[in-house]
Amino acid sequence: MARRVTLIDVARHAGVSRTTASYVLTGTGRVSTATRERVQASIETLGYVYNEGAASLRRKSRTIGVIVPKIDRPFFGEVLSGVESTFTASGYMALMVATRNRLDQQDRLLRMLREHQVAALVIIPATASDHELVDAIRSWDVPTVFLSRYVRGSTEPYVGSDEVRGGYLAADHLVRAHGCRSITYLGGPTRGIARADRLEGVHRALAESGSEVNLVDLISESTVEAGLRAGHELVGSGLPDGIICHNDSIAMGVARALYDTGRVGATRIIGYDDIVPAKVSVPSLTSVATGGQLLGETAARSVLAVISGAEPAVRSHLAEPRLIVRESCGDHVGGDAATS
Amino acid sequence: MARRVTLIDVARHAGVSRTTASYVLTGTGRVSTATRERVQASIETLGYVYNEGAASLRRKSRTIGVIVPKIDRPFFGEVLSGVESTFTASGYMALMVATRNRLDQQDRLLRMLREHQVAALVIIPATASDHELVDAIRSWDVPTVFLSRYVRGSTEPYVGSDEVRGGYLAADHLVRAHGCRSITYLGGPTRGIARADRLEGVHRALAESGSEVNLVDLISESTVEAGLRAGHELVGSGLPDGIICHNDSIAMGVARALYDTGRVGATRIIGYDDIVPAKVSVPSLTSVATGGQLLGETAARSVLAVISGAEPAVRSHLAEPRLIVRESCGDHVGGDAATS
DNA sequence: TTGTAAGCGTTATCAT
DNA sequence: ATGATAACGCTTACAA
């Protein structure tokens, strides 16, 4: 097996020094057009391949750590898609890892990423993350943006959507447009800050409405299956006028439970995240859209700006969520999902 | 800002040589317990962090390239989840990239991964990939496994499910269990090999059944929206007895179109991949389950074995798909999705 | 515009 | 069991 072709070989072949060869590679320094073309030709004929790893020993690496709780959750998939495309478009590559929402895994992965010398970090922290995580990252001193979830009490750079506003939009719609008098907030991690924020928004909407509304706070996992179970239980124990689900997966489960029990339309359901299949759920889901892909892009652009020195610190960014109204809250029953 | 702590610092602090320090780090070589503990203490007090990049300059790197068409497709999410967990559990990290099913992107990303010295490659090739891709990877000479899609005519190591068998299972069920006389295969990339293979299985099932079946081959994108459109068109032009969809997203779209037009149950629908929301679709989807997560794990384990020298070459593996029967093909109409 | 040479932080070979 | 020392392939002052 032939030895790897290195920059020295290229230089020798082109009759220049390593420096010059390096210059044409990186675009740095001044090189005459003639030399540049000669070097480029040599690169071509020798089949030279740049060694990013070796280069990273001198300058900053071009890999960025990306941490998410789960890789296969639809919403995270959208976010990751935005992150990845932004990075690779700029010549960076993402080391993606999943914590499965476990703090010990998160610590381990953080450590591994650090050992891999990532130039920056984009992290959707595990739900139970606290200040220890923030401190660990701070002491590491790498450009970091928290994405979609932030750590309670932390003021670290954060890109996400306005959860309070999202909760508000959902509750406001149920109360004002549909006159709901009893609302259940269903699902989401117990200790999660998003849950607390959305509930705050809900309370705000209820207060503004001035009407007496009975709000029930129900914990459940954030999966389709959990939503299905919860839906059946709610049918058994008495349905509220409206249900705000922590995400669309839960909402789809609930919707299906209503369908199973012949209670379609017996309550209004609002989901969260507006993932693709929400459109074709029966009924199609009214949902709070947060624009996962765009959030991912924004976060990625943000750390890239810092790395390249364009910005001194990562910028925080709070996106405005939108309420996508569909059948599940009663407005379009019998309507056509294709037109929504 | 303090200089990075290196192995030299550790060695000095512990009063040993770099070599010895390196030995305790990697577990290689013989080191007395006393020395080992002394070094470990120094690592602790100095806050030393291993530099994977520097190490990769000497030994093989511990990053592996993972290429998929789209990161946010439910099935790929499941696959990626399996790949990632297997890699990180073994101390490897995945550089994940998405080609968006475009060959130029795929070439570019391949190049980037190569420059990053990945130790191996796991790739779900873009649909239109041909022998040029195989040749490029071959000449690069890195342990590679093709995952979930293979390149026409190639005999490269491949981990996937038996597409022919999958098509067979679907068609056989429609014909034998339900006596369908007209079947439409809907969706999937025109030039895709999976499509061709599944259709072969369908034909085989039809031939075996001995009955006269009218098979229509309908192209469409593999999205919920496309399924929705196709469903409406089929309703307009006349529904076949059964529809085999290239994936569950299409199937959910079709199901919704039937619902919209009041034709639920008017034809039998079979999806593919058995993604989570298929369970709560209305009707819940009969689907060919391919076990995405497990496929991902298998592929990952396979390349890891090669890297560590346990196996001479990557092993191919063809998983047996299973038909998950639910309401959408008429067996359980009115049944309870929760029990499926 | 181009060349010289000193790192970057490991691993691995060969002595001792 | 431990230590010197030469790679690994690139970037970047500084010199010419």
Side-chain angles (χ1 to χ4, degrees):
Chain A
M1 172 133 55
R3 196 180 49 75
R4 241 189 96 74
V5 177
T6 90
L7 204 49
I8 301 195
D9 302 320
V10 172
R12 215 171 352 236
H13 186 270
V16 299
S17 73
R18 285 208 281 314
T19 312
T20 310
S22 175
Y23 282 165
V24 353
L25 229 59
T26 60
T28 338
R30 259 164 295 284
V31 182
S32 70
T33 319
T35 329
R36 155 167 295 109
E37 279 168 359
R38 207 143 34 84
V39 172
Q40 244 137 17
S42 301
I43 287 178
E44 198 68 26
T45 52
L46 295 182
Y48 168 77
V49 176
Y50 186 72
N51 187 328
E52 178 71 26
S56 295
L57 211 47
R58 293 292 295 179
R59 52 150 177 77
K60 195 152 19 203
S61 96
R62 282 185 186 144
T63 65
I64 295 177
V66 179
I67 304 183
V68 299
K70 315 215 174 194
I71 228 159
D72 55 351
R73 284 265 257 268
F75 177 68
F76 294 146
E78 288 181 16
V79 172
L80 283 178
S81 179
V83 169
E84 189 274 342
S85 62
T86 306
F87 281 157
T88 54
S90 311
Y92 283 78
M93 307 210 81
L95 280 172
M96 290 191 195
V97 295
T99 58
R100 295 150 165 230
N101 242 334
R102 284 175 35 190
L103 290 186
D104 55 344
Q105 263 288 358
Q106 182 166 268
D107 289 343
R108 173 160 179 271
L109 295 171
L110 220 42
R111 171 80 186 203
M112 288 179 72
L113 288 172
R114 188 174 179 184
E115 295 182 342
H116 278 261
Q117 328 294 132
V118 294
L121 197 59
V122 173
I123 179 171
I124 305 183
T127 318
S129 302
D130 58 13
H131 227 73
E132 282 187 37
L133 171 68
V134 176
D135 291 345
I137 293 176
R138 267 240 186 85
S139 74
W140 172 7
D141 189 35
V142 62
T144 301
V145 54
F146 285 76
L147 177 53
S148 182
R149 292 180 184 171
Y150 59 96
V151 173
R152 202 178 298 274
S154 131
T155 61
E156 298 300 298
Y158 171 68
V159 171
S161 78
D162 189 333
E163 307 282 7
V164 177
R165 176 80 181 149
Y168 177 93
L169 287 175
D172 182 64
H173 184 73
L174 288 179
V175 174
R176 297 255 289 268
H178 298 291
C180 293
R181 293 300 172 189
S182 58
I183 294 178
T184 294
Y185 189 97
L186 176 64
T190 324
R191 306 172 52 186
I193 198 163
R195 184 169 219 286
D197 283 356
R198 291 182 196 168
L199 277 169
E200 183 188 328
V202 170
H203 280 119
R204 195 172 298 178
L206 301 191
E208 272 187 21
S209 78
S211 42
E212 205 63 25
V213 175
N214 181 28
L215 178 64
V216 174
D217 186 353
L218 216 56
I219 302 291
S220 94
E221 271 188 290
S222 300
T223 63
V224 161
E225 290 82 358
L228 203 46
R229 274 195 304 274
H232 279 282
E233 279 163 26
L234 283 172
V235 166
S237 61
L239 288 170
D241 293 341
I243 304 175
I244 301 175
C245 299
H246 193 76
N247 70 23
D248 287 340
S249 294
I250 302 174
M252 290 179 73
V254 171
R256 176 67 210 211
L258 294 186
Y259 182 87
D260 288 341
T261 51
R263 307 292 301 277
V264 174
T267 184
R268 325 204 176 249
I269 306 174
I270 296 188
Y272 216 103
D273 292 340
D274 190 32
I275 64 177
V276 173
K279 280 199 201 42
V280 293
S281 168
V282 170
S284 61
L285 289 184
T286 291
S287 187
V288 178
T290 51
Q293 178 139 354
L294 188 55
L295 287 180
E297 289 169 11
T298 306
R301 260 201 295 273
S302 192
V303 290
L304 283 179
V306 177
I307 290 175
S308 66
E311 315 239 345
V314 186
R315 253 199 335 255
S316 284
H317 176 84
L318 215 57
E320 182 81 355
R322 294 187 314 128
L323 185 74
I324 310 293
V325 178
R326 298 204 187 87
E327 300 164 351
S328 72
C329 58
D331 292 321
H332 293 100
V333 170
D336 186 343
T339 65
S340 69
Chain B
M1 174 131 55
R3 196 178 50 74
R4 240 188 97 71
V5 177
T6 94
L7 205 49
I8 300 196
D9 303 320
V10 171
R12 216 173 346 240
H13 185 271
V16 300
S17 72
R18 285 211 280 317
T19 312
T20 308
S22 176
Y23 279 165
V24 353
L25 230 59
T26 60
T28 338
R30 257 165 294 285
V31 182
S32 70
T33 318
T35 328
R36 157 168 295 110
E37 281 168 358
R38 205 143 34 84
V39 172
Q40 244 137 16
S42 301
I43 288 177
E44 198 68 26
T45 51
L46 296 182
Y48 167 77
V49 176
Y50 186 73
N51 187 328
E52 178 71 27
S56 295
L57 209 47
R58 291 294 295 180
R59 53 150 178 75
K60 196 154 17 201
S61 95
R62 283 186 186 142
T63 67
I64 296 177
V66 179
I67 304 183
V68 299
K70 315 216 174 192
I71 228 160
D72 56 351
R73 284 266 256 266
F75 177 68
F76 294 146
E78 288 180 18
V79 172
L80 283 177
S81 178
V83 169
E84 189 274 343
S85 61
T86 305
F87 282 158
T88 54
S90 309
Y92 282 79
M93 307 211 81
L95 281 172
M96 291 191 193
V97 295
T99 59
R100 293 149 166 232
N101 241 333
R102 286 177 33 192
L103 290 186
D104 55 345
Q105 262 289 358
Q106 182 166 266
D107 290 343
R108 172 159 180 273
L109 294 171
L110 221 42
R111 173 79 186 201
M112 287 178 74
L113 288 173
R114 188 173 180 184
E115 294 181 345
H116 278 261
Q117 326 296 131
V118 294
L121 198 57
V122 173
I123 178 171
I124 304 182
T127 319
S129 302
D130 57 13
H131 227 74
E132 282 187 36
L133 170 68
V134 176
D135 291 344
I137 292 177
R138 266 240 186 84
S139 74
W140 172 6
D141 189 34
V142 63
T144 301
V145 54
F146 285 77
L147 178 52
S148 181
R149 293 180 183 170
Y150 59 97
V151 173
R152 204 178 296 275
S154 130
T155 61
E156 297 300 298
Y158 172 67
V159 170
S161 78
D162 189 333
E163 307 282 8
V164 178
R165 176 79 182 150
Y168 177 92
L169 288 175
D172 182 63
H173 184 74
L174 288 179
V175 174
R176 297 255 289 269
H178 299 290
C180 293
R181 293 302 172 189
S182 57
I183 294 178
T184 294
Y185 188 97
L186 176 63
T190 326
R191 308 170 52 188
I193 199 165
R195 184 168 220 287
D197 284 356
R198 291 182 196 170
L199 276 169
E200 184 189 327
V202 169
H203 280 118
R204 195 171 298 177
L206 300 191
E208 272 187 20
S209 78
S211 42
E212 204 65 27
V213 175
N214 182 28
L215 178 65
V216 175
D217 187 353
L218 216 56
I219 302 291
S220 93
E221 270 188 289
S222 300
T223 62
V224 161
E225 290 82 359
L228 203 48
R229 274 195 303 275
H232 278 283
E233 278 162 25
L234 284 172
V235 166
S237 62
L239 287 169
D241 294 341
I243 304 175
I244 301 175
C245 299
H246 193 76
N247 69 23
D248 287 339
S249 294
I250 303 174
M252 290 179 73
V254 172
R256 176 68 210 211
L258 294 187
Y259 182 88
D260 289 340
T261 52
R263 306 293 301 276
V264 174
T267 183
R268 322 198 179 254
I269 306 174
I270 296 189
Y272 216 102
D273 292 338
D274 190 32
I275 62 177
V276 173
K279 279 199 201 43
V280 293
S281 168
V282 171
S284 61
L285 288 184
T286 290
S287 187
V288 178
T290 51
Q293 176 138 353
L294 188 55
L295 287 179
E297 290 169 10
T298 305
R301 261 200 293 274
S302 191
V303 290
L304 282 179
V306 177
I307 290 176
S308 65
E311 316 238 345
V314 187
R315 253 198 337 254
S316 284
H317 175 85
L318 215 57
E320 182 81 357
R322 295 187 314 129
L323 185 73
I324 309 293
V325 179
R326 297 205 187 86
E327 300 164 352
S328 71
C329 59
D331 292 320
H332 293 100
V333 170
D336 185 345
T339 66
S340 68

